[in-house]
Amino acid sequence: MRRSIVIFITFILLLNFTGCVGPFRKPVENAGKISKPVSSDNTEYVFNNGDCAFLGDRIYFCNSYDEGLLYSVKTDGSDMRKLNDVYTQWFYVTSNLIYYKDDTGRIWVMNIDGSGRKKLNDDKSENINVVGDRIYYSNVDDGFKPYSINADGSDRKKISDDVLLFMNVYGDRIYYSGKSNSGEYNGIYSVNLDGGQKTKLSIDKSNKILVKEDWIYYVNQDDDNKLYAMRTDGSDRHILIDVYTPIMNVVSDRIYYKSGDDWKFYSAKIDGSEKQLLSDDNVNWFAIGKDSIYYSITGAKIYSMNLDGSNKKLLAELDSDFYESVTYEISARLHEKMPEYRFVAKGLVNKTGIGIMNYGYVMGLEVYDENNKIILSEDFSEKYDDIVTGYPVFNEMMDTMGLHVVDVNFDGYKDVIILNHFGGAHGNTWYDCWLWDSDTSAFIASESFSDICNPAIDHDNKCIYSAGGSGAAYWGGQIYKFIDGEFVLTNDLYTDWDGLVEKELVNGKMEIVREVEFGGDEQIIEKEKEYYNNHEMWQLSNPRWYWGGGHHADKWLE
């Protein structure tokens, strides 16, 4: 019954948002004469995927609970500020300016307080590096070839025809992963800022490169994504951290990283020695300050801790105003001779209604008898790192949470069902179910009902129809019946691009009763669809075969 929660949360952490750029305010000052870029350790580059930074007494981050907009907050958690009005894919903080990439990949600049926004280019940009008075980037519109512009957007230049992936500008050289004509990484290179003097440093394939103090730190895909280091001339290549490091940074004489082995947060000396566990938290982003580490786990909250991992503190709760509690209540009799019971669904609804974040959570179900005594209490909540979730459901169904009191096993007594999943690209639905046992006067959970996708109840034929939950070439369906206390698949029509297979339950086993190969012939496919549309049992054209959830399906669950 909980199969969808972890998958959904993983999906949530990867969401993209859309937004609108706000109006221009005062012009950007000194856009062509920027100061030396400043990062958490006063060096020129921070490798944190461009989604967090630390400067002065403020933390800068992309707020996943407000459309991915750029925010800043003081290091004590106070004075939260929104800095722009567009989903920010990447940003770079200097002493007085912020460079950032919008949802279309274009580079913008604004003052450190969010004023004076100005677009700098029209190229879809990746691997952005701000160095001195130039900005270097891979131009996705030109096959990831390297370009540069002045800090005010002028003097756009193509550096070379090489394909530069995961590049890092350090000193007077660009360090990058190369790409072959077949599309594979083909080594690590360096090249002058004008594209000259190209040098191959290693044959290793890498998708992360960080250059600090004449050392290159990189994830080696040829060795299980372990963290390697080598000098900027390609010498002294060696394993540094013997696990995959999805996020990392080098600050002073230590490496801070998340282990891809146990997903915990560590630090070690830059030679790989003195490894130290800092936190069991699965850190999503982090920024290193003078005495503290600032980080988020799921994007919902911001924490701080000392450099040795002690004194963990909660600084800000970004999700505190994101959801609101909702309830939905109905009263019904399970049988005409029984008293009326109350059924109460509880949930959290997303107040923002933002794009594909338009989800709520079904959190629980309670049933009260005629004496207001609880006879069924179910808690669907589950803690995922530092957030509490439930069953994910599109907001459009959070008004009822799919709560129905209906006889699903056709024994004359009504049962209770509630959504346990409604989402994804196809909007398929699954329901948890509790059957009323008249012998014990109690509800009993039905795991077998919870496996039925998009259920539609047929009281006349005492069966349940199921459609959806498969690929684009699938237009068949399934029929279930309640046999010996379980919902059992009795008829199955499977289709794909190659053909169809119809099965039915015979003596307790599913056996093939019809099989057709399509052979790529659309006429055969259409003929078969017409056959099953008119078939007395299947009637696939009947709207009871609904292919996505929503209130239109309610009538098939009554």
Side-chain angles (χ1 to χ4, degrees), residues 64 80 99 150 167 265 473 485 517:
S64 59
M80 184 79 67
Y99 294 84
N150 280 334
M167 71 175 179
F265 191 52
E517 291 185 3

Side-chain angles (χ1 to χ4, degrees), residues 494-513:
Y494 177 78
T495 69
D496 59 21
W497 300 112
D498 298 322
L500 66 83
V501 177
E502 182 184 354
K503 297 179 181 181
E504 70 177 34
L505 188 67
V506 179
N507 297 324
K509 293 183 179 180
M510 295 296 290
E511 295 186 0
I512 296 175
V513 295

Side-chain angles (χ1 to χ4, degrees), residues 503-548:
K503 297 179 181 181
E504 70 177 34
L505 188 67
V506 179
N507 297 324
K509 293 183 179 180
M510 295 296 290
E511 295 186 0
I512 296 175
V513 295
R514 192 166 184 267
E515 193 169 6
V516 177
E517 291 185 3
F518 296 155
D521 191 329
E522 289 294 332
Q523 290 186 344
I524 295 178
I525 296 174
E526 291 304 316
K527 181 180 178 180
E528 290 302 318
K529 286 183 177 180
E530 182 180 0
Y531 172 81
Y532 284 102
N533 284 342
N534 297 321
H535 192 283
E536 181 179 359
M537 179 184 69
W538 288 103
Q539 298 180 38
L540 289 185
S541 59
N542 191 305
R544 68 192 178 199
W545 300 95
Y546 62 93
W547 290 82

Side-chain angles (χ1 to χ4, degrees), residues 152-165:
D152 63 359
S154 64
D155 192 29
R156 174 178 177 269
K157 293 180 179 178
K158 182 176 183 178
I159 296 174
S160 75
D161 284 320
D162 289 334
V163 176
L164 272 64
L165 302 175

Side-chain angles (χ1 to χ4, degrees), residues 149-207:
I149 55 175
N150 280 334
D152 63 359
S154 64
D155 192 29
R156 174 178 177 269
K157 293 180 179 178
K158 182 176 183 178
I159 296 174
S160 75
D161 284 320
D162 289 334
V163 176
L164 272 64
L165 302 175
F166 310 105
M167 71 175 179
N168 189 187
V169 179
Y170 177 76
D172 60 356
R173 304 280 290 177
I174 301 173
Y175 299 84
Y176 66 96
S177 289
K179 183 179 179 182
S180 66
N181 292 332
S182 63
E184 297 181 351
Y185 305 133
N186 65 354
I188 299 174
Y189 298 80
S190 73
V191 68
N192 283 343
L193 297 180
D194 62 1
Q197 296 185 356
K198 177 180 176 181
T199 303
K200 189 167 188 175
L201 304 176
S202 172
I203 62 172
D204 295 333
K205 299 175 183 178
S206 178
N207 61 0

Side-chain angles (χ1 to χ4, degrees), residues 369-532:
D369 67 10
E370 72 277 19
N371 298 314
N372 210 35
K373 177 184 176 181
I374 294 179
I375 58 174
L376 177 66
S377 180
E378 296 291 333
D379 181 6
F380 310 137
S381 65
E382 183 167 309
K383 188 172 183 180
Y384 177 83
D385 289 328
D386 63 347
I387 59 177
V388 177
T389 69
Y391 290 152
V393 170
F394 279 137
N395 266 5
E396 66 180 271
M397 284 295 289
M398 285 301 296
D399 54 349
T400 66
M401 289 170 268
L403 177 62
H404 295 272
V405 181
V406 57
D407 184 4
V408 299
N409 62 346
F410 317 109
D411 65 350
Y413 290 87
K414 291 185 178 181
D415 313 293
V416 58
I417 63 174
I418 193 169
L419 276 167
N420 74 35
H421 183 88
F422 173 34
H426 299 287
N428 289 314
T429 58
W430 286 267
Y431 290 78
D432 277 0
C433 172
W434 291 265
L435 304 174
W436 179 255
D437 185 345
S438 60
D439 293 334
T440 61
S441 295
F443 284 105
I444 299 175
S446 173
E447 295 285 349
S448 56
F449 187 92
S450 299
D451 292 331
I452 302 175
C453 178
N454 300 329
I457 302 168
D458 185 341
H459 295 281
D460 293 332
N461 294 304
K462 292 182 170 53
C463 64
I464 297 176
Y465 304 101
S466 171
S470 193
Y474 179 75
W475 47 264
Q478 296 178 320
I479 301 175
Y480 292 80
K481 292 185 177 180
F482 194 72
I483 302 173
D484 296 332
E486 299 288 337
F487 290 93
V488 177
L489 179 64
T490 58
N491 299 86
D492 181 29
L493 176 61
Y494 177 78
T495 69
D496 59 21
W497 300 112
D498 298 322
L500 66 83
V501 177
E502 182 184 354
K503 297 179 181 181
E504 70 177 34
L505 188 67
V506 179
N507 297 324
K509 293 183 179 180
M510 295 296 290
E511 295 186 0
I512 296 175
V513 295
R514 192 166 184 267
E515 193 169 6
V516 177
E517 291 185 3
F518 296 155
D521 191 329
E522 289 294 332
Q523 290 186 344
I524 295 178
I525 296 174
E526 291 304 316
K527 181 180 178 180
E528 290 302 318
K529 286 183 177 180
E530 182 180 0
Y531 172 81
Y532 284 102

Side-chain angles (χ1 to χ4, degrees), residues 323-327 346-349 351:
Y323 293 103
E324 64 180 353
S325 298
V326 294
T327 60
K346 298 180 178 181
L348 294 174
V349 66
K351 295 189 295 185

